[in-house]
Short mmCIF file of all heavy atoms in Angstrom, two decimals:
data_model
loop_
_atom_site.label_atom_id
_atom_site.label_comp_id
_atom_site.label_asym_id
_atom_site.label_seq_id
_atom_site.Cartn_x
_atom_site.Cartn_y
_atom_site.Cartn_z
N GLN A 1 15.61 -5.44 31.50
CA GLN A 1 17.02 -5.53 31.19
C GLN A 1 17.26 -6.71 30.25
O GLN A 1 16.54 -7.69 30.29
CB GLN A 1 17.84 -5.75 32.45
CG GLN A 1 18.02 -4.51 33.27
CD GLN A 1 18.83 -4.80 34.52
OE1 GLN A 1 18.68 -5.83 35.14
NE2 GLN A 1 19.68 -3.87 34.85
N MET A 2 18.27 -6.58 29.44
CA MET A 2 18.64 -7.69 28.59
C MET A 2 19.15 -8.81 29.48
O MET A 2 19.77 -8.56 30.49
CB MET A 2 19.75 -7.29 27.61
CG MET A 2 19.31 -6.35 26.52
SD MET A 2 18.11 -7.06 25.40
CE MET A 2 19.06 -8.37 24.66
N ASP A 3 18.85 -10.01 29.10
CA ASP A 3 19.33 -11.17 29.83
C ASP A 3 20.86 -11.12 29.89
O ASP A 3 21.51 -10.97 28.87
CB ASP A 3 18.86 -12.43 29.10
CG ASP A 3 19.30 -13.68 29.77
OD1 ASP A 3 20.43 -14.13 29.47
OD2 ASP A 3 18.54 -14.22 30.58
N TRP A 4 21.42 -11.23 31.09
CA TRP A 4 22.87 -11.07 31.23
C TRP A 4 23.63 -12.14 30.48
O TRP A 4 24.70 -11.89 29.95
CB TRP A 4 23.29 -11.04 32.71
CG TRP A 4 23.16 -12.34 33.43
CD1 TRP A 4 22.08 -12.79 34.12
CD2 TRP A 4 24.15 -13.37 33.53
NE1 TRP A 4 22.32 -14.03 34.62
CE2 TRP A 4 23.59 -14.41 34.28
CE3 TRP A 4 25.44 -13.51 33.04
CZ2 TRP A 4 24.29 -15.59 34.57
CZ3 TRP A 4 26.13 -14.68 33.34
CH2 TRP A 4 25.55 -15.69 34.09
N GLU A 5 23.08 -13.36 30.40
CA GLU A 5 23.77 -14.43 29.66
C GLU A 5 23.87 -14.09 28.18
O GLU A 5 24.89 -14.31 27.56
CB GLU A 5 23.05 -15.76 29.85
CG GLU A 5 23.18 -16.32 31.26
CD GLU A 5 22.38 -17.59 31.46
OE1 GLU A 5 21.46 -17.86 30.67
OE2 GLU A 5 22.70 -18.31 32.43
N THR A 6 22.79 -13.54 27.63
CA THR A 6 22.81 -13.15 26.22
C THR A 6 23.87 -12.08 25.98
O THR A 6 24.65 -12.17 25.04
CB THR A 6 21.42 -12.60 25.81
OG1 THR A 6 20.45 -13.61 26.03
CG2 THR A 6 21.41 -12.18 24.35
N THR A 7 23.91 -11.11 26.86
CA THR A 7 24.88 -10.03 26.73
C THR A 7 26.31 -10.54 26.84
O THR A 7 27.18 -10.17 26.06
CB THR A 7 24.63 -8.93 27.78
OG1 THR A 7 23.27 -8.49 27.65
CG2 THR A 7 25.55 -7.75 27.59
N VAL A 8 26.56 -11.43 27.81
CA VAL A 8 27.90 -11.96 28.01
C VAL A 8 28.33 -12.83 26.83
O VAL A 8 29.43 -12.69 26.30
CB VAL A 8 27.99 -12.77 29.33
CG1 VAL A 8 29.29 -13.55 29.41
CG2 VAL A 8 27.85 -11.84 30.53
N ILE A 9 27.44 -13.69 26.37
CA ILE A 9 27.77 -14.62 25.29
C ILE A 9 27.97 -13.87 23.97
O ILE A 9 28.92 -14.12 23.25
CB ILE A 9 26.68 -15.71 25.15
CG1 ILE A 9 26.70 -16.64 26.36
CG2 ILE A 9 26.87 -16.50 23.86
CD1 ILE A 9 25.51 -17.56 26.46
N LEU A 10 27.07 -12.95 23.66
CA LEU A 10 27.11 -12.28 22.36
C LEU A 10 27.91 -10.98 22.36
O LEU A 10 28.29 -10.49 21.32
CB LEU A 10 25.69 -11.99 21.88
CG LEU A 10 24.83 -13.23 21.64
CD1 LEU A 10 23.41 -12.81 21.29
CD2 LEU A 10 25.42 -14.11 20.57
N GLY A 11 28.16 -10.45 23.53
CA GLY A 11 28.91 -9.21 23.63
C GLY A 11 28.00 -8.00 23.66
O GLY A 11 27.08 -7.90 22.84
N PRO A 12 28.23 -7.11 24.59
CA PRO A 12 27.34 -5.95 24.73
C PRO A 12 27.31 -5.05 23.50
O PRO A 12 26.27 -4.49 23.18
CB PRO A 12 27.89 -5.21 25.95
CG PRO A 12 29.26 -5.76 26.17
CD PRO A 12 29.28 -7.13 25.57
N GLN A 13 28.41 -4.93 22.78
CA GLN A 13 28.42 -4.06 21.60
C GLN A 13 27.51 -4.62 20.50
O GLN A 13 26.84 -3.86 19.80
CB GLN A 13 29.86 -3.88 21.07
CG GLN A 13 30.76 -3.14 22.02
CD GLN A 13 30.25 -1.75 22.39
OE1 GLN A 13 29.41 -1.17 21.71
NE2 GLN A 13 30.75 -1.21 23.48
N ARG A 14 27.50 -5.92 20.36
CA ARG A 14 26.66 -6.54 19.34
C ARG A 14 25.18 -6.34 19.68
O ARG A 14 24.38 -6.03 18.80
CB ARG A 14 26.99 -8.03 19.26
CG ARG A 14 26.32 -8.73 18.14
CD ARG A 14 26.95 -10.09 17.93
NE ARG A 14 26.05 -10.93 17.16
CZ ARG A 14 26.03 -12.24 17.21
NH1 ARG A 14 26.89 -12.88 17.97
NH2 ARG A 14 25.20 -12.92 16.49
N VAL A 15 24.83 -6.51 20.94
CA VAL A 15 23.45 -6.30 21.37
C VAL A 15 23.06 -4.84 21.16
O VAL A 15 21.99 -4.55 20.61
CB VAL A 15 23.26 -6.73 22.84
CG1 VAL A 15 21.86 -6.37 23.33
CG2 VAL A 15 23.53 -8.22 23.01
N LYS A 16 23.92 -3.91 21.55
CA LYS A 16 23.63 -2.48 21.37
C LYS A 16 23.47 -2.12 19.90
O LYS A 16 22.62 -1.31 19.53
CB LYS A 16 24.75 -1.63 21.99
CG LYS A 16 24.72 -1.61 23.49
CD LYS A 16 25.87 -0.77 24.03
CE LYS A 16 25.93 -0.83 25.54
NZ LYS A 16 27.06 -0.07 26.09
N ARG A 17 24.30 -2.73 19.04
CA ARG A 17 24.21 -2.46 17.60
C ARG A 17 22.85 -2.90 17.06
O ARG A 17 22.23 -2.20 16.26
CB ARG A 17 25.33 -3.19 16.86
CG ARG A 17 25.32 -2.95 15.35
CD ARG A 17 26.53 -3.57 14.65
NE ARG A 17 26.91 -4.88 15.13
CZ ARG A 17 26.44 -6.04 14.64
NH1 ARG A 17 25.57 -6.04 13.66
NH2 ARG A 17 26.85 -7.18 15.12
N CYS A 18 22.37 -4.05 17.52
CA CYS A 18 21.07 -4.54 17.06
C CYS A 18 19.95 -3.63 17.54
O CYS A 18 19.03 -3.33 16.78
CB CYS A 18 20.85 -5.97 17.56
SG CYS A 18 21.93 -7.17 16.75
N ILE A 19 20.03 -3.17 18.77
CA ILE A 19 19.00 -2.27 19.29
C ILE A 19 19.05 -0.94 18.55
O ILE A 19 18.00 -0.38 18.20
CB ILE A 19 19.18 -2.07 20.80
CG1 ILE A 19 18.92 -3.39 21.54
CG2 ILE A 19 18.26 -0.97 21.32
CD1 ILE A 19 19.32 -3.37 23.00
N SER A 20 20.24 -0.44 18.28
CA SER A 20 20.35 0.86 17.60
C SER A 20 19.82 0.83 16.18
O SER A 20 19.47 1.87 15.62
CB SER A 20 21.79 1.36 17.62
OG SER A 20 22.60 0.59 16.76
N GLY A 21 19.72 -0.36 15.58
CA GLY A 21 19.21 -0.49 14.23
C GLY A 21 17.70 -0.54 14.12
O GLY A 21 17.16 -0.59 13.02
N LEU A 22 17.02 -0.50 15.25
CA LEU A 22 15.56 -0.56 15.23
C LEU A 22 14.95 0.77 14.79
O LEU A 22 15.55 1.83 15.01
CB LEU A 22 15.04 -0.88 16.65
CG LEU A 22 15.36 -2.25 17.21
CD1 LEU A 22 14.96 -2.30 18.69
CD2 LEU A 22 14.67 -3.35 16.43
N PRO A 23 13.74 0.73 14.21
CA PRO A 23 13.03 1.99 13.93
C PRO A 23 12.80 2.74 15.25
O PRO A 23 12.72 2.13 16.31
CB PRO A 23 11.69 1.52 13.34
CG PRO A 23 11.97 0.14 12.80
CD PRO A 23 13.01 -0.44 13.73
N PRO A 24 12.69 4.07 15.19
CA PRO A 24 12.63 4.88 16.41
C PRO A 24 11.60 4.44 17.45
O PRO A 24 11.92 4.34 18.64
CB PRO A 24 12.33 6.29 15.90
CG PRO A 24 12.82 6.29 14.50
CD PRO A 24 12.65 4.89 13.99
N GLU A 25 10.35 4.20 17.02
CA GLU A 25 9.32 3.84 18.02
C GLU A 25 9.62 2.48 18.65
O GLU A 25 9.44 2.29 19.85
CB GLU A 25 7.91 3.86 17.42
CG GLU A 25 7.62 2.83 16.37
CD GLU A 25 8.12 3.20 14.97
OE1 GLU A 25 8.53 4.35 14.75
OE2 GLU A 25 8.10 2.32 14.10
N GLN A 26 10.14 1.53 17.87
CA GLN A 26 10.49 0.23 18.42
C GLN A 26 11.67 0.34 19.38
O GLN A 26 11.69 -0.30 20.43
CB GLN A 26 10.82 -0.76 17.30
CG GLN A 26 9.61 -1.12 16.46
CD GLN A 26 9.97 -2.06 15.33
OE1 GLN A 26 10.99 -2.73 15.36
NE2 GLN A 26 9.13 -2.09 14.31
N LYS A 27 12.64 1.15 19.01
CA LYS A 27 13.81 1.35 19.86
C LYS A 27 13.40 1.96 21.20
O LYS A 27 13.84 1.50 22.26
CB LYS A 27 14.82 2.25 19.16
CG LYS A 27 16.09 2.49 19.92
CD LYS A 27 17.03 3.37 19.11
CE LYS A 27 18.28 3.71 19.88
NZ LYS A 27 19.17 4.58 19.10
N GLN A 28 12.56 2.99 21.16
CA GLN A 28 12.10 3.62 22.39
C GLN A 28 11.39 2.62 23.30
O GLN A 28 11.65 2.55 24.49
CB GLN A 28 11.14 4.77 22.09
CG GLN A 28 11.79 6.01 21.57
CD GLN A 28 10.77 7.10 21.31
OE1 GLN A 28 9.67 6.84 20.82
NE2 GLN A 28 11.13 8.32 21.63
N VAL A 29 10.46 1.87 22.73
CA VAL A 29 9.69 0.89 23.51
C VAL A 29 10.63 -0.17 24.08
O VAL A 29 10.52 -0.53 25.26
CB VAL A 29 8.58 0.25 22.64
CG1 VAL A 29 7.95 -0.93 23.33
CG2 VAL A 29 7.54 1.29 22.30
N PHE A 30 11.54 -0.67 23.27
CA PHE A 30 12.47 -1.71 23.72
C PHE A 30 13.30 -1.22 24.90
O PHE A 30 13.44 -1.92 25.91
CB PHE A 30 13.38 -2.13 22.56
CG PHE A 30 14.14 -3.39 22.82
CD1 PHE A 30 13.63 -4.61 22.45
CD2 PHE A 30 15.39 -3.35 23.44
CE1 PHE A 30 14.33 -5.79 22.69
CE2 PHE A 30 16.10 -4.51 23.68
CZ PHE A 30 15.56 -5.74 23.31
N ILE A 31 13.83 -0.01 24.79
CA ILE A 31 14.68 0.53 25.86
C ILE A 31 13.86 0.79 27.13
O ILE A 31 14.29 0.43 28.23
CB ILE A 31 15.39 1.82 25.38
CG1 ILE A 31 16.46 1.43 24.36
CG2 ILE A 31 16.00 2.59 26.56
CD1 ILE A 31 17.07 2.61 23.62
N LEU A 32 12.69 1.39 26.97
CA LEU A 32 11.87 1.67 28.15
C LEU A 32 11.45 0.38 28.85
O LEU A 32 11.44 0.31 30.08
CB LEU A 32 10.63 2.48 27.75
CG LEU A 32 10.89 3.92 27.32
CD1 LEU A 32 9.63 4.53 26.71
CD2 LEU A 32 11.38 4.76 28.50
N ARG A 33 11.13 -0.63 28.09
CA ARG A 33 10.65 -1.90 28.68
C ARG A 33 11.80 -2.73 29.25
O ARG A 33 11.72 -3.23 30.36
CB ARG A 33 9.89 -2.70 27.62
CG ARG A 33 9.38 -4.03 28.10
CD ARG A 33 8.17 -3.87 29.01
NE ARG A 33 7.68 -5.17 29.37
CZ ARG A 33 7.62 -5.61 30.62
NH1 ARG A 33 7.97 -4.85 31.61
NH2 ARG A 33 7.17 -6.82 30.86
N HIS A 34 12.89 -2.89 28.49
CA HIS A 34 13.93 -3.84 28.88
C HIS A 34 15.10 -3.21 29.64
O HIS A 34 15.75 -3.91 30.41
CB HIS A 34 14.46 -4.59 27.66
CG HIS A 34 13.46 -5.55 27.13
ND1 HIS A 34 13.06 -6.68 27.81
CD2 HIS A 34 12.75 -5.55 25.98
CE1 HIS A 34 12.16 -7.33 27.11
NE2 HIS A 34 11.95 -6.68 25.99
N GLN A 35 15.38 -1.96 29.42
CA GLN A 35 16.50 -1.35 30.15
C GLN A 35 16.02 -0.56 31.36
O GLN A 35 16.73 -0.48 32.35
CB GLN A 35 17.34 -0.49 29.21
CG GLN A 35 18.06 -1.34 28.18
CD GLN A 35 18.94 -0.53 27.23
OE1 GLN A 35 18.80 0.66 27.10
NE2 GLN A 35 19.86 -1.23 26.58
N LEU A 36 14.83 0.02 31.26
CA LEU A 36 14.30 0.78 32.39
C LEU A 36 13.24 0.00 33.18
O LEU A 36 12.74 0.48 34.18
CB LEU A 36 13.72 2.12 31.91
CG LEU A 36 14.73 3.05 31.24
CD1 LEU A 36 14.05 4.34 30.80
CD2 LEU A 36 15.89 3.36 32.18
N ASN A 37 12.91 -1.19 32.67
CA ASN A 37 11.97 -2.10 33.35
C ASN A 37 10.59 -1.50 33.59
O ASN A 37 9.97 -1.77 34.61
CB ASN A 37 12.56 -2.61 34.67
CG ASN A 37 13.75 -3.48 34.46
OD1 ASN A 37 13.78 -4.30 33.55
ND2 ASN A 37 14.76 -3.33 35.29
N LEU A 38 10.12 -0.67 32.66
CA LEU A 38 8.78 -0.12 32.78
C LEU A 38 7.75 -1.15 32.32
O LEU A 38 8.03 -1.97 31.44
CB LEU A 38 8.63 1.15 31.95
CG LEU A 38 9.53 2.33 32.31
CD1 LEU A 38 9.20 3.52 31.42
CD2 LEU A 38 9.42 2.71 33.77
N SER A 39 6.55 -1.10 32.88
CA SER A 39 5.46 -1.97 32.44
C SER A 39 4.94 -1.46 31.09
O SER A 39 5.25 -0.35 30.66
CB SER A 39 4.33 -1.95 33.46
OG SER A 39 3.70 -0.68 33.46
N PHE A 40 4.09 -2.28 30.44
CA PHE A 40 3.47 -1.85 29.18
C PHE A 40 2.70 -0.56 29.40
O PHE A 40 2.76 0.36 28.59
CB PHE A 40 2.53 -2.92 28.63
CG PHE A 40 3.23 -4.10 28.04
CD1 PHE A 40 3.13 -5.35 28.62
CD2 PHE A 40 3.98 -3.98 26.88
CE1 PHE A 40 3.77 -6.44 28.08
CE2 PHE A 40 4.63 -5.06 26.32
CZ PHE A 40 4.52 -6.30 26.93
N ASP A 41 1.94 -0.50 30.49
CA ASP A 41 1.14 0.69 30.76
C ASP A 41 2.01 1.91 31.02
O ASP A 41 1.70 3.01 30.55
CB ASP A 41 0.21 0.44 31.96
CG ASP A 41 -0.91 -0.53 31.63
OD1 ASP A 41 -1.32 -0.60 30.44
OD2 ASP A 41 -1.39 -1.24 32.54
N GLN A 42 3.11 1.73 31.72
CA GLN A 42 4.02 2.84 31.98
C GLN A 42 4.65 3.34 30.68
O GLN A 42 4.77 4.55 30.46
CB GLN A 42 5.11 2.43 32.97
CG GLN A 42 4.59 2.23 34.38
CD GLN A 42 5.63 1.59 35.29
OE1 GLN A 42 6.39 0.72 34.87
NE2 GLN A 42 5.65 2.01 36.54
N VAL A 43 5.06 2.41 29.82
CA VAL A 43 5.63 2.79 28.53
C VAL A 43 4.59 3.56 27.71
O VAL A 43 4.91 4.59 27.11
CB VAL A 43 6.15 1.56 27.75
CG1 VAL A 43 6.58 1.96 26.35
CG2 VAL A 43 7.29 0.89 28.50
N ALA A 44 3.35 3.08 27.73
CA ALA A 44 2.29 3.75 26.98
C ALA A 44 2.08 5.18 27.48
O ALA A 44 1.90 6.10 26.69
CB ALA A 44 0.99 2.95 27.09
N ILE A 45 2.14 5.37 28.78
CA ILE A 45 1.98 6.71 29.36
C ILE A 45 3.15 7.61 28.95
O ILE A 45 2.94 8.75 28.53
CB ILE A 45 1.85 6.62 30.90
CG1 ILE A 45 0.50 5.99 31.26
CG2 ILE A 45 2.00 7.99 31.54
CD1 ILE A 45 0.39 5.57 32.72
N VAL A 46 4.36 7.10 29.07
CA VAL A 46 5.55 7.89 28.71
C VAL A 46 5.48 8.34 27.26
O VAL A 46 5.80 9.48 26.93
CB VAL A 46 6.85 7.09 28.98
CG1 VAL A 46 8.06 7.76 28.34
CG2 VAL A 46 7.08 6.90 30.47
N LEU A 47 5.06 7.43 26.38
CA LEU A 47 5.02 7.74 24.94
C LEU A 47 3.68 8.31 24.48
O LEU A 47 3.53 8.63 23.30
CB LEU A 47 5.35 6.47 24.14
CG LEU A 47 6.72 5.87 24.38
CD1 LEU A 47 6.90 4.60 23.56
CD2 LEU A 47 7.82 6.87 24.05
N ASN A 48 2.72 8.40 25.41
CA ASN A 48 1.38 8.87 25.08
C ASN A 48 0.79 8.05 23.93
O ASN A 48 0.31 8.59 22.93
CB ASN A 48 1.41 10.37 24.74
CG ASN A 48 0.02 10.98 24.76
OD1 ASN A 48 -0.85 10.52 25.49
ND2 ASN A 48 -0.19 12.01 23.95
N GLU A 49 0.88 6.75 24.08
CA GLU A 49 0.40 5.82 23.06
C GLU A 49 -0.54 4.79 23.69
O GLU A 49 -0.52 4.56 24.89
CB GLU A 49 1.57 5.06 22.42
CG GLU A 49 2.37 5.86 21.45
CD GLU A 49 1.65 6.15 20.15
OE1 GLU A 49 0.63 5.50 19.84
OE2 GLU A 49 2.12 7.05 19.45
N ASP A 50 -1.33 4.16 22.85
CA ASP A 50 -2.19 3.08 23.29
C ASP A 50 -1.32 1.88 23.68
O ASP A 50 -0.37 1.55 22.95
CB ASP A 50 -3.12 2.69 22.12
CG ASP A 50 -4.17 1.68 22.52
OD1 ASP A 50 -3.79 0.55 22.89
OD2 ASP A 50 -5.36 2.02 22.45
N PRO A 51 -1.63 1.21 24.80
CA PRO A 51 -0.84 0.03 25.21
C PRO A 51 -0.77 -1.05 24.13
O PRO A 51 0.22 -1.76 24.03
CB PRO A 51 -1.55 -0.48 26.46
CG PRO A 51 -2.21 0.74 27.03
CD PRO A 51 -2.62 1.57 25.83
N LYS A 52 -1.82 -1.15 23.31
CA LYS A 52 -1.80 -2.15 22.23
C LYS A 52 -0.71 -1.82 21.21
O LYS A 52 -0.04 -2.72 20.69
CB LYS A 52 -3.16 -2.24 21.55
CG LYS A 52 -4.21 -2.87 22.44
CD LYS A 52 -5.55 -2.94 21.75
CE LYS A 52 -6.59 -3.49 22.71
NZ LYS A 52 -7.92 -3.53 22.12
N ASN A 53 -0.52 -0.54 20.90
CA ASN A 53 0.56 -0.14 20.01
C ASN A 53 1.91 -0.47 20.63
O ASN A 53 2.83 -0.94 19.95
CB ASN A 53 0.50 1.36 19.70
CG ASN A 53 -0.63 1.72 18.79
OD1 ASN A 53 -1.19 0.89 18.11
ND2 ASN A 53 -1.00 2.99 18.80
N VAL A 54 2.03 -0.21 21.92
CA VAL A 54 3.28 -0.50 22.64
C VAL A 54 3.60 -1.98 22.54
O VAL A 54 4.73 -2.37 22.24
CB VAL A 54 3.18 -0.04 24.11
CG1 VAL A 54 4.35 -0.56 24.92
CG2 VAL A 54 3.11 1.48 24.19
N MET A 55 2.61 -2.83 22.77
CA MET A 55 2.83 -4.28 22.70
C MET A 55 3.24 -4.71 21.30
O MET A 55 4.14 -5.54 21.13
CB MET A 55 1.58 -5.03 23.16
CG MET A 55 1.37 -4.98 24.64
SD MET A 55 0.01 -6.03 25.17
CE MET A 55 -1.24 -4.81 25.47
N ALA A 56 2.60 -4.14 20.28
CA ALA A 56 2.92 -4.49 18.89
C ALA A 56 4.35 -4.05 18.56
O ALA A 56 5.11 -4.82 17.96
CB ALA A 56 1.93 -3.85 17.93
N TRP A 57 4.71 -2.83 18.94
CA TRP A 57 6.07 -2.33 18.66
C TRP A 57 7.11 -3.17 19.38
O TRP A 57 8.16 -3.47 18.82
CB TRP A 57 6.21 -0.88 19.06
CG TRP A 57 5.47 0.09 18.17
CD1 TRP A 57 5.09 -0.12 16.87
CD2 TRP A 57 5.05 1.40 18.51
NE1 TRP A 57 4.46 1.00 16.39
CE2 TRP A 57 4.41 1.95 17.38
CE3 TRP A 57 5.13 2.16 19.67
CZ2 TRP A 57 3.87 3.22 17.36
CZ3 TRP A 57 4.59 3.44 19.65
CH2 TRP A 57 3.97 3.96 18.52
N LEU A 58 6.81 -3.54 20.62
CA LEU A 58 7.78 -4.34 21.37
C LEU A 58 7.95 -5.71 20.74
O LEU A 58 9.07 -6.21 20.62
CB LEU A 58 7.35 -4.47 22.84
CG LEU A 58 8.34 -5.22 23.72
CD1 LEU A 58 9.71 -4.54 23.74
CD2 LEU A 58 7.80 -5.34 25.13
N HIS A 59 6.86 -6.30 20.30
CA HIS A 59 6.96 -7.61 19.63
C HIS A 59 7.83 -7.50 18.38
O HIS A 59 8.74 -8.31 18.18
CB HIS A 59 5.57 -8.12 19.26
CG HIS A 59 5.61 -9.34 18.41
ND1 HIS A 59 5.93 -10.58 18.92
CD2 HIS A 59 5.42 -9.52 17.08
CE1 HIS A 59 5.93 -11.47 17.93
NE2 HIS A 59 5.62 -10.84 16.81
N ARG A 60 7.57 -6.49 17.56
CA ARG A 60 8.36 -6.30 16.34
C ARG A 60 9.83 -6.04 16.67
O ARG A 60 10.73 -6.55 15.99
CB ARG A 60 7.80 -5.15 15.52
CG ARG A 60 6.46 -5.45 14.91
CD ARG A 60 5.96 -4.31 14.05
NE ARG A 60 4.55 -4.47 13.79
CZ ARG A 60 3.62 -3.56 14.08
NH1 ARG A 60 3.96 -2.40 14.62
NH2 ARG A 60 2.36 -3.79 13.81
N ALA A 61 10.07 -5.26 17.71
CA ALA A 61 11.45 -4.97 18.12
C ALA A 61 12.16 -6.24 18.55
O ALA A 61 13.31 -6.48 18.16
CB ALA A 61 11.46 -3.95 19.25
N ARG A 62 11.50 -7.05 19.34
CA ARG A 62 12.11 -8.31 19.80
C ARG A 62 12.45 -9.22 18.63
O ARG A 62 13.52 -9.82 18.58
CB ARG A 62 11.18 -9.03 20.77
CG ARG A 62 11.08 -8.37 22.12
CD ARG A 62 10.02 -9.04 22.96
NE ARG A 62 9.99 -8.52 24.32
CZ ARG A 62 8.96 -8.68 25.13
NH1 ARG A 62 7.87 -9.34 24.74
NH2 ARG A 62 9.01 -8.18 26.36
N VAL A 63 11.53 -9.32 17.67
CA VAL A 63 11.76 -10.15 16.48
C VAL A 63 13.00 -9.65 15.73
O VAL A 63 13.87 -10.43 15.33
CB VAL A 63 10.51 -10.18 15.56
CG1 VAL A 63 10.84 -10.79 14.21
CG2 VAL A 63 9.39 -10.94 16.24
N GLN A 64 13.08 -8.34 15.54
CA GLN A 64 14.22 -7.77 14.82
C GLN A 64 15.54 -7.97 15.56
O GLN A 64 16.56 -8.27 14.94
CB GLN A 64 13.99 -6.27 14.56
CG GLN A 64 12.91 -5.99 13.54
CD GLN A 64 13.19 -6.67 12.22
OE1 GLN A 64 12.49 -7.61 11.83
NE2 GLN A 64 14.21 -6.24 11.52
N VAL A 65 15.54 -7.81 16.88
CA VAL A 65 16.76 -8.00 17.65
C VAL A 65 17.22 -9.45 17.57
O VAL A 65 18.39 -9.72 17.36
CB VAL A 65 16.57 -7.55 19.12
CG1 VAL A 65 17.74 -7.98 19.99
CG2 VAL A 65 16.41 -6.03 19.19
N VAL A 66 16.29 -10.38 17.68
CA VAL A 66 16.63 -11.80 17.59
C VAL A 66 17.21 -12.11 16.20
O VAL A 66 18.23 -12.81 16.09
CB VAL A 66 15.41 -12.70 17.91
CG1 VAL A 66 15.68 -14.14 17.52
CG2 VAL A 66 15.06 -12.60 19.38
N LYS A 67 16.60 -11.59 15.15
CA LYS A 67 17.11 -11.80 13.79
C LYS A 67 18.50 -11.22 13.66
O LYS A 67 19.41 -11.84 13.08
CB LYS A 67 16.18 -11.18 12.76
CG LYS A 67 14.93 -11.94 12.50
CD LYS A 67 14.10 -11.23 11.43
CE LYS A 67 12.79 -11.95 11.17
NZ LYS A 67 11.99 -11.24 10.16
N CYS A 68 18.71 -10.02 14.16
CA CYS A 68 20.00 -9.35 14.08
C CYS A 68 21.07 -10.15 14.82
O CYS A 68 22.17 -10.35 14.31
CB CYS A 68 19.88 -7.95 14.66
SG CYS A 68 21.44 -7.03 14.73
N LEU A 69 20.76 -10.62 16.01
CA LEU A 69 21.72 -11.39 16.79
C LEU A 69 22.05 -12.71 16.11
O LEU A 69 23.19 -13.18 16.17
CB LEU A 69 21.19 -11.63 18.21
CG LEU A 69 21.08 -10.39 19.09
CD1 LEU A 69 20.38 -10.73 20.39
CD2 LEU A 69 22.45 -9.77 19.33
N GLY A 70 21.06 -13.28 15.42
CA GLY A 70 21.29 -14.53 14.71
C GLY A 70 22.20 -14.38 13.50
O GLY A 70 22.92 -15.28 13.13
N ARG A 71 22.19 -13.18 12.91
CA ARG A 71 23.04 -12.92 11.74
C ARG A 71 24.50 -12.67 12.14
O ARG A 71 25.39 -12.82 11.33
CB ARG A 71 22.53 -11.69 10.98
CG ARG A 71 21.30 -11.94 10.17
CD ARG A 71 21.04 -10.82 9.21
NE ARG A 71 20.87 -9.54 9.87
CZ ARG A 71 19.71 -8.97 10.17
NH1 ARG A 71 18.60 -9.60 9.88
NH2 ARG A 71 19.65 -7.81 10.76
N GLY A 72 24.66 -12.22 13.37
CA GLY A 72 26.03 -11.93 13.82
C GLY A 72 26.50 -10.66 13.26
O GLY A 72 27.55 -10.20 13.28
#
């Protein structure tokens, strides 16, 4: 789940907008990991992907969300 303080401070619509702007694979991984609280291995199984790809996509997604939130 997204940190509740981040959501409260920045506003849920702003956070959702940043997530919605991610490339499809990054968006899927981000949602499965942070909103559904799945492990890396569980996300890999759901997406039928290598866990290393899942970790890379999640890292890129987090970087993009942080950049987006910083831009306002």
Side-chain angles (χ1 to χ4, degrees):
Q1 283 179 322
M2 289 295 296
D3 180 274
W4 70 269
E5 290 176 341
T6 301
T7 304
V8 169
I9 291 168
L10 297 175
Q13 294 302 341
R14 187 167 162 206
V15 174
K16 287 179 185 178
R17 181 174 41 90
C18 290
I19 294 169
S20 70
L22 294 171
E25 67 278 350
Q26 292 178 21
K27 182 179 176 181
Q28 285 181 320
V29 169
F30 193 91
I31 289 170
L32 290 170
R33 179 75 176 119
H34 289 293
Q35 293 182 342
L36 299 180
N37 294 320
L38 298 183
S39 69
F40 286 114
D41 290 331
Q42 290 170 323
V43 173
I45 290 167
V46 168
L47 299 178
N48 196 29
E49 284 289 344
D50 187 296
K52 290 179 183 178
N53 288 341
V54 169
M55 286 187 256
W57 288 337
L58 183 59
H59 172 74
R60 291 183 196 124
R62 287 173 174 162
V63 168
Q64 289 304 111
V65 169
V66 168
K67 285 181 182 179
C68 176
L69 292 172
R71 284 194 301 263

